[in-house]
Amino acid sequence: MTLQTVPPRHASPEIVVSGLASLKDAVAAEWLKLRTVRSTWAVWAGAAVSTLIGLVILMIHVGSYDQASPAERASFESADPAVLVMPVVACFIGCLGALAVTTEFSTGSLGPSLVAVPQRRMLMAAKTVVVTCVAFAGGVLFAGLSQIVAILILGDRSAPLNPWAHWWDAIPSAAGTAITTLVTGLVALGLGAVLRSTAATVTVIVALTLVVPSFAHFLPASLHLRVASVLIPNLAPQIVGAESAYLLSPPAAMAVLAFYVVVALGAGGLGFSRRDS
């Protein structure tokens, strides 16, 4: 007597779905993982607190301006939240991008993830989609809120304190910082896949967003603007063509941002696909 195998009445969803649907499921799973981890909410809280602190500093700066003499007011720095607030927010969003991949290495949960999504490229693509959406949403949210509050604080004060002649002049600035925040998150994701360490990746992101831009001011005059112009936070005004001391045109600035993303995600995707879990 021979046994005959009877096919199951209902095939597994992983078998019947198309590649697009499989990617959709992987994205949904990555989104579920990201939003249910405590560290995600800690990062959001850090970004919110840093925004609040930055706006308080902005208020103090405006108060000092009001008490200064006309001669002193002429030398005041601009009260632009893109400078005071958003680099720190971008750093937190970068930490979130790093956590999207490094936590799987540190907790050992990458193995089960690969069981659910055996195609590593698809898994990395799903992480990229989720980080893209979250980072851009965070950039738009915090850039928009900080710009609105700054406009209310500045009122009818003029330049050099007020960087905008009209309220709608702040829109390009907010758009630029939202884009650089998105890029920071994607670069962190790629670095996390390469370094496989939360601490190492966060250290690099802090250096890229906060430390190196600060130390660039101490470089010789011949190098200062050349280096500063290609750093991620300083690309925000350049990609929207806002007035600044930096050197790049909007197309060149966008090309530099694209270079950051392609190199980081390319290296991350390659390492994620070929190295053992």
Side-chain angles (χ1 to χ4, degrees), residues 144-166:
L145 287 176
S146 61
Q147 298 283 23
I148 291 171
V149 174
I151 290 170
L152 295 176
I153 293 173
L154 289 167
D156 59 356
R157 295 173 180 85
S158 60
L161 183 71
N162 193 334
W164 313 296
H166 307 92

